């Protein structure tokens, strides 16, 4: 929303994020693994937390920090190229967002408010690897006596975002919010392998960089259904353009789809829906339940997932539930 906290006021919220076989938002985990030979076991499970801190530092100026840590389970089964695949338990990611919001126009008589927001963004992921005993490169099939490994490393990105936010208050219980923004991010990743066969090794020992520009349009509402029960709905449309570059020799084999920059999935938009309901136990303490749905899993949200290896694993509908507690002071 466009409003800011009063000088000296603060808010702190913590949420537990979860997807598993019992808590499966819109059966997304079931659809991800159902009928798939590649994804098995608990693939699609998510466990993590989100932390939000807001503080009014000057009249009409607020600073904020939003951090999220989550791990997505990726248990692999059979692959046409690599046969039986073993992998690390999952991909663990930290997201950071810190910035400032300035409410530059507030017209209480009309319930209208506008703000400008600027933020610094950073994501990092733990190295991830998968192991196998064979490779089918089309014209060459290699069989190994001990497991070989392909490792993803240096998964990180950083950038900034600017957006204009507007809010219109209708009566005492309904607030309409809308926003438009621009975001630019530079991401990196690296692929390496323990395969010693040179025609394959030289194509998998590569480094990648992504330049991503994003445009956001969104609308949302907060409805005070009961004196202690606010309900929130948000929709964010994201459109991005990106370019990926790689160092190392170009891959001309049947494995090119894994390592060539042109193998990046072509999706360029995401629709993000968020719903949230809260209950204020006291004037300062609340509990909340949130659901998030993305039509392209983390597309434009965690850019370093979008390299030629991981983009094929994370292009699908996805969502999760968040259980939280908030404190205002």
């Amino acid at each position: 929303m466009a409003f800011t906290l009063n000088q000296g006021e603060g808010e702190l919220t913590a949420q537990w994020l979860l997807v598993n076989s019992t808590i499966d938002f819109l059966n997304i985990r079931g659809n991800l693994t159902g009928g798939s030979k590649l994804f098995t076991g608990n693939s699609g499970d998510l466990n993590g937390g989100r932390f939000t801190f807001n503080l009014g530092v000057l009249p009409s100026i607020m600073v904020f920090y939003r951090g999220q840590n989550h791990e997505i389970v990726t248990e692999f089964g059979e692959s046409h190229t690599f046969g039986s695949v073993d992998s690390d338990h999952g991909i663990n990611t930290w997201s950071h967002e810190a910035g400032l919001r300035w409410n530059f126009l507030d017209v209480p008589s009309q319930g209208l408010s506008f703000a400008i927001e600027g933020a610094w963004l950073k994501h990092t992921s733990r190295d991830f690897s998968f192991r196998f005993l064979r490779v089918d490169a089309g014209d060459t099939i290699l069989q190994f006596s001990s497991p070989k490994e392909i490792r993803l490393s240096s998964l990180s990105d950083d950038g900034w975002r600017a957006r204009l936010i507007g809010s219109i208050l209708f009566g005492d219980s309904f607030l309409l919010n809308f926003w438009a923004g621009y975001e630019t991010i530079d991401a990196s990743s690296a692929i390496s392998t323990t395969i010693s066969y040179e025609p394959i090794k030289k194509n998998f020992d590569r480094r990648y960089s992504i330049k991503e520009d994003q445009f956001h349009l969104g609308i949302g509402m907060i409805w005070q259904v009961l004196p202690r029960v606010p309900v929130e709905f948000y929709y964010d449309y994201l459109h991005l353009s990106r370019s990926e570059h790689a160092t190392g020799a170009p891959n001309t084999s049947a494995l090119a789809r894994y390592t060539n920059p042109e193998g990046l999935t072509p999706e360029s938009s995401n629709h993000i829906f968020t719903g949230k309901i809260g209950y204020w136990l006291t004037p300062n303490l609340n509990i909340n339940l949130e659901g998030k749905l993305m039509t392209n899993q983390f597309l434009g949200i965690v850019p370093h997932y979008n390299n030629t290896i991981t983009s094929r694993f994370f292009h699908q509908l996805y969502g999760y539930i968040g259980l939280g507690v908030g404190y205002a002071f």
Side-chain angles (χ1 to χ4, degrees):
M1 64 184 72
F3 299 106
T4 57
L5 296 175
N6 294 324
Q7 186 173 359
E9 290 183 343
E11 295 174 339
L12 177 64
T13 300
Q15 284 185 311
W16 175 35
L17 310 177
L18 189 65
V19 172
N20 59 31
S21 58
T22 302
I23 301 176
D24 185 1
F25 189 46
L26 299 182
N27 197 38
I28 287 169
R29 177 186 179 276
N31 292 333
L32 173 66
T33 57
S36 171
K37 293 183 179 181
L38 179 62
F39 292 107
T40 62
N42 296 321
S43 289
D45 280 9
L46 180 144
N47 195 4
R50 180 190 297 134
F51 317 94
T52 302
F53 176 69
N54 300 316
L55 180 66
V57 293
L58 292 170
S60 302
I61 294 181
M62 182 183 81
V63 295
F64 59 84
Y65 168 78
R66 301 172 187 130
Q68 179 169 319
N69 176 260
H70 66 256
E71 181 168 80
I72 297 178
V73 175
T74 50
E75 294 184 5
F76 294 144
E78 294 289 331
S79 164
H80 174 74
T81 304
F82 299 103
S84 180
V85 180
D86 179 33
S87 69
D88 293 343
H89 179 70
I91 295 183
N92 185 283
T93 299
W94 261 107
S95 302
H96 304 277
E97 177 182 329
L100 180 147
R101 182 186 301 163
W102 172 40
N103 184 300
F104 66 89
L105 178 63
D106 192 11
V107 187
S109 61
Q110 299 180 20
L112 184 65
S113 187
F114 281 94
I116 294 176
E117 186 177 276
W120 165 82
L121 313 168
K122 176 72 174 179
H123 304 85
T124 56
S125 282
R126 190 172 57 201
D127 292 357
F128 175 79
S129 62
F130 56 94
R131 293 160 291 277
F132 44 87
L133 287 169
R134 64 181 289 269
V135 173
D136 184 350
D139 54 350
T140 303
I141 298 179
L142 300 179
Q143 198 77 34
F144 309 108
S145 58
S146 60
K148 299 301 180 182
E149 180 179 274
I150 291 177
R151 174 173 290 270
L152 291 173
S153 59
S154 304
L155 298 169
S156 67
D157 58 66
D158 62 85
W160 59 270
R161 182 187 65 230
R163 63 181 172 185
L164 175 68
I165 309 171
S167 295
I168 305 176
L169 182 63
F170 296 92
D172 296 325
S173 61
F174 189 88
L175 181 68
L176 180 68
N177 303 299
F178 48 92
W179 59 89
Y182 170 77
E183 190 171 302
T184 181
I185 289 181
D186 292 299
S188 66
S189 60
I191 302 177
S192 59
T193 183
T194 57
I195 298 173
S196 58
Y197 182 60
E198 187 61 25
I200 291 180
K201 182 177 178 62
K202 71 178 182 181
N203 289 315
F204 272 93
D205 286 343
R206 313 187 76 184
R207 299 190 65 88
Y208 297 85
S209 61
I210 294 177
K211 172 70 173 178
E212 190 168 280
D213 296 307
Q214 302 180 15
F215 298 90
H216 291 255
L217 288 174
I219 189 168
M221 53 148 281
I222 302 176
W223 178 26
Q224 196 76 29
V225 179
L226 296 171
R228 293 191 177 193
V229 182
V231 175
E232 307 175 36
F233 293 101
Y234 301 98
Y235 165 70
D236 193 21
Y237 171 73
L238 182 156
H239 181 80
L240 60 86
S241 62
R242 61 190 173 186
S243 59
E244 185 178 30
H245 303 282
T247 62
N251 191 340
T252 57
S253 72
L255 299 176
R257 64 187 184 277
Y258 291 103
T259 59
N260 280 2
E262 293 77 12
L264 193 67
T265 54
E267 286 72 25
S268 61
S269 64
N270 202 349
H271 302 271
I272 304 165
F273 303 87
T274 305
K276 184 176 181 180
I277 184 169
Y279 180 75
W280 286 88
L281 300 170
T282 74
N284 301 94
L285 183 67
N286 72 78
I287 55 176
N288 54 76
L289 173 66
E290 178 180 312
K292 182 181 287 289
L293 177 68
M294 299 160 279
T295 57
N296 279 308
Q297 183 183 9
F298 292 105
L299 179 70
I301 301 174
V302 185
H304 64 261
Y305 278 168
N306 300 328
N307 60 61
T308 52
I309 293 284
T310 56
S311 65
R312 68 185 61 250
F313 298 144
F314 293 100
H315 167 54
Q316 63 261 322
L317 187 73
Y318 194 74
Y320 52 81
I321 291 290
L323 307 171
V325 59
Y327 181 71
F329 58 90

